[in-house]
Amino acid sequence: MDTFEYISASHRVVFGTGTLQQLPSMLKTINATSVLILCTPQQIATAQQVQSIIGHDVGVAIFSDATMHTPTHITDAAVLVAQEKGVDGIVSVGGGSTVGLGKAISIRTGLKHLCIPTTYAGSEMTPILGETENGRKTTRRDIRIIPTSVLYDTDLFKTLPVNLTVYSGINAIAHAVEALYATNRNPIIELLALEGTRSLVEALPVLQTDDQNTEARYKALYGAWLCGMCLGSVDMALHHKLCHTLGGTFNLPHAETHVVLLPHALAYNASTPATAGAMAKLAGVLPGSEGDAVKGMNALYKRLGIDLNLKGLGMAEEGVDEAVDIALANPYKNPRGLEREGIRELIRRAWTGEEAGRDTKRLL
């Protein structure tokens, strides 16, 4: 029998439909009486809705310049506003970009941080912060980074565009996939990873054709929550490291980059005996897998009509070798060793958009 360690982060989560109305009481629970509301330029209306619910005397200002990959100069500007307004808390409303900004502000200032996610990114569940400065993205893990409270309201997802629903949902599945073969995995996280993946795999095809399906929205958000807990509880491996490398260096969109790389990183790691058990369990929750997790992931992409590649996201071909160099410059834990030729072939295939497969000789 395996010996394992499970560490649980302590923060409050409110989950359901119409829960946004509980925001005033949640702020009281964390003793936040004056907050800065964070959002992207695209979500000002939602931030204003939040401000209306808690009142302008509590939501004293809105900072709407959150952007992907959490550039440090944006964080500097937001911290300055928080200091000028004298707030004792922050409320982030949005996806990973806004949540990341909230984390960055909180770890710098010690301000309490309440998250209201509007995508399935899962960042709100993790003690991980990725920041970009001078074209390089670095990540760090600190228990103080994890938000104080999280409010999930399925109503906020009704206007999420279908393509973002799919991409964000696959991003969440990526968290669970890596948790299944993380070096510090444990049975608790394995259960969360499989249940989270199963929920998203069932919900995403429904939402693609009926984006107002209440049950599917609920199931997708539930799955994303579980997958986010996986990401925050175990070490990240090849997939996430490559996404951070490519996203920060080439300014690629976060969710779409995860979508492109996931099948290829999965295929790379499926080729080692160390992941055999994890791959078998993953295959069990992927329809059409026939016992092969890579085949099951490819089948899911076909069902969802996903056809993305790094080239189409704006990455130049010469970036392939640059990405390999950066990825190998900072060694990290992965079930299969980081081999230059294999990593290069993985990124090349993701750049062209070729189908992932562990029968690829150049990967072995």
Side-chain angles (χ1 to χ4, degrees), residues 115-309:
C115 284
I116 307 174
T118 61
T119 72
Y120 304 122
S123 176
E124 68 279 354
M125 283 292 117
T126 79
I128 302 166
L129 172 62
E131 297 181 281
T132 304
E133 186 171 16
N134 299 322
R136 290 295 171 89
K137 188 170 185 177
T138 58
T139 61
R140 56 173 164 155
R141 181 187 289 260
D142 189 316
I143 195 64
R144 296 173 300 165
I145 291 172
I146 199 164
T148 313
S149 298
V150 179
L151 187 155
Y152 288 112
D153 188 339
T154 59
D155 284 343
L156 294 177
F157 291 76
K158 289 181 178 179
T159 58
L160 187 65
V162 173
N163 64 324
L164 291 182
T165 294
V166 172
Y167 299 157
S168 183
I170 296 295
N171 182 7
I173 290 174
H175 307 331
V177 167
E178 290 215 315
L180 288 172
Y181 52 68
T183 54
N184 57 344
R185 65 189 179 278
N186 62 71
I188 306 303
I189 294 302
E190 180 180 287
L191 290 172
L192 295 178
L194 293 174
E195 175 65 10
T197 300
R198 181 185 291 108
S199 295
L200 281 159
V201 168
E202 292 175 356
L204 291 180
V206 176
L207 291 173
Q208 195 171 49
T209 58
D210 180 10
D211 65 351
Q212 297 303 302
N213 187 297
T214 303
E215 182 180 352
R217 281 285 179 201
Y218 189 98
K219 184 178 290 187
L221 186 55
Y222 169 69
W225 173 21
L226 300 186
C227 292
M229 290 176 67
C230 296
L231 176 64
S233 301
V234 295
D235 292 335
M236 293 182 293
L238 177 63
H239 170 80
H240 281 85
K241 292 296 184 179
L242 286 179
C243 287
H244 291 156
T245 295
L246 294 169
T249 303
F250 305 105
N251 197 36
L252 303 181
H254 181 79
E256 289 87 339
T257 302
H258 276 270
V259 172
V260 172
L261 286 172
L262 177 57
H264 300 285
L266 183 66
Y268 182 91
N269 280 322
S271 66
T272 176
T275 64
M279 294 296 168
K281 291 171 183 175
L282 177 60
V285 297
L286 293 175
S289 70
E290 298 179 3
D292 185 326
V294 177
K295 184 174 182 178
M297 191 63 66
N298 287 335
L300 175 63
Y301 275 43
K302 288 179 180 177
R303 185 179 181 188
L304 294 172
I306 295 174
D307 184 21
L308 294 175
N309 54 63

